[in-house]
Amino acid sequence: MAELAKAMVLAAGLGRRMGDLSKTTPKPLTMVAGKSLLDRILAKLLDLDLAPIVVNIHHLADKIESHLSSYVMRGDVCISDECDEILETGGGVKKAIPLLDSEFFVVNSDILWEDLNPSLNSLKSMQGAWNPEKMDALLLLIPTGVAYGYEGVGDFFLDEQDAGVGPIRFREEAATSPFMYGGVLIVKSSLYDDMPNGSWSNREIFKKAQKAGRLYGIRHQGLWMHVGTEAAIFEAETRLAKMEFVP
């Protein structure tokens, strides 16, 4: 198993789809079944001994900083401040590179997932599948049919080679594809070396890795939800309570 020592949580987004709730509550602090999305993600990452975890902030930054103060005091979290300019996913990671290692996790903060069983822990499975000799990025992929809160037509095709892991390619001109990006990846910092400062998407990193034949994916087995709207909060709580999903 490839041991990673660092991780970053992308928590700077504006959360506009949350409507009025986003005016007072940053989306990462959205409560689902009594626990914030951010706390749920940090717990999973800390369970892998990845501290200090980098968390970037922009929208309602003071509220996230206040929420994270105990984590920071314990050395579990450090902050990447984007208050002056929102940098999107790629630009945000680029700015935080000095706080990270040569290889690290990146996790979106508006997702919630649970694994089929403890032996199929998604993050540990990603660590076990990560092979820096042939991969520049490894993405957690969700079958579109069980991607709750997702209304798109898919992002990737997966050439499954071993235990749900294999090279992936963008949907491009195809009408649909069977997998969407689940908001969790392992990536090499070297992919960001020649990328600009400022605001841009991690999608550009994925394109670079695919062009080099080094973009891989791993199939998630379990419950996955995008919690991007107020309606999605209720749905997430309902599904968590019933654990209704198709592995």
Side-chain angles (χ1 to χ4, degrees):
M1 176 182 291
E3 293 295 335
L4 281 80
K6 292 286 184 177
M8 180 174 185
V9 179
L10 301 174
L14 300 177
R16 290 192 178 99
R17 293 182 64 207
M18 281 289 184
D20 289 342
L21 184 62
S22 67
K23 297 176 182 178
T24 57
T25 303
K27 187 159 60 170
L29 298 188
T30 298
M31 301 296 290
V32 177
K35 193 172 185 177
S36 75
L37 294 173
L38 184 55
D39 286 325
R40 290 176 179 275
I41 292 167
L42 291 175
K44 291 179 184 294
L45 293 172
L46 290 170
D47 188 51
L48 269 62
D49 296 322
L50 295 174
I53 299 161
V54 179
V55 179
N56 67 344
I57 57 173
H58 176 81
H59 179 58
L60 298 176
D62 57 333
K63 293 195 173 185
I64 297 183
E65 275 198 285
S66 177
H67 184 85
L68 292 175
S69 59
S70 60
Y71 287 96
V72 173
M73 289 181 62
R74 291 194 302 267
D76 289 339
V77 163
C78 63
I79 301 294
S80 179
D81 191 332
E82 296 178 16
C83 291
D84 291 339
E85 178 188 12
I86 191 165
L87 298 175
E88 292 189 68
T89 53
V93 175
K94 169 78 173 181
K95 180 175 181 178
I97 289 293
L99 302 173
L100 297 162
D101 282 345
S102 59
E103 303 163 9
F104 49 89
F105 278 100
V106 181
V107 184
N108 292 355
S109 61
D110 57 356
I111 59 173
L112 187 157
W113 76 93
E114 295 294 337
D115 299 301
L116 184 60
N117 61 57
S119 67
L120 294 172
N121 181 292
S122 295
L123 298 182
K124 290 182 180 179
S125 294
M126 292 183 73
Q127 278 191 320
W130 174 245
N131 182 348
E133 293 186 0
K134 65 179 182 181
M135 302 175 184
D136 285 341
L138 174 65
L139 280 58
L140 184 68
L141 299 182
I142 316 300
T144 55
V146 294
Y148 302 114
Y150 174 72
E151 299 174 353
V153 293
D155 301 312
F156 294 104
F157 292 96
L158 167 65
D159 177 16
E160 296 186 56
Q161 296 180 341
D162 180 34
V165 181
I168 61 175
R169 65 187 190 280
F170 278 95
R171 177 171 55 86
E172 301 293 355
E173 301 302 319
T176 62
S177 58
F179 294 98
M180 54 87 63
Y181 170 51
V184 184
L185 77 145
I186 298 174
V187 66
K188 287 183 176 178
S189 62
S190 58
L191 276 179
Y192 295 83
D193 287 347
D194 59 350
M195 298 301 289
N197 296 322
S199 180
W200 52 274
S201 170
N202 260 338
R203 185 178 177 88
E204 301 306 314
I205 291 298
F206 302 161
K207 289 178 181 177
K208 283 180 62 177
Q210 178 185 284
K211 186 175 181 179
R214 298 177 62 86
L215 181 64
Y216 279 69
I218 180 170
R219 176 198 288 261
H220 173 59
Q221 298 187 63
L223 175 68
W224 184 95
M225 293 172 284
H226 175 229
V227 187
T229 65
E230 286 194 73
I233 298 172
F234 175 76
E235 180 179 8
E237 291 178 332
T238 301
R239 293 193 181 279
L240 276 178
K242 296 181 179 180
M243 287 301 287
E244 290 181 351
F245 60 88
V246 178

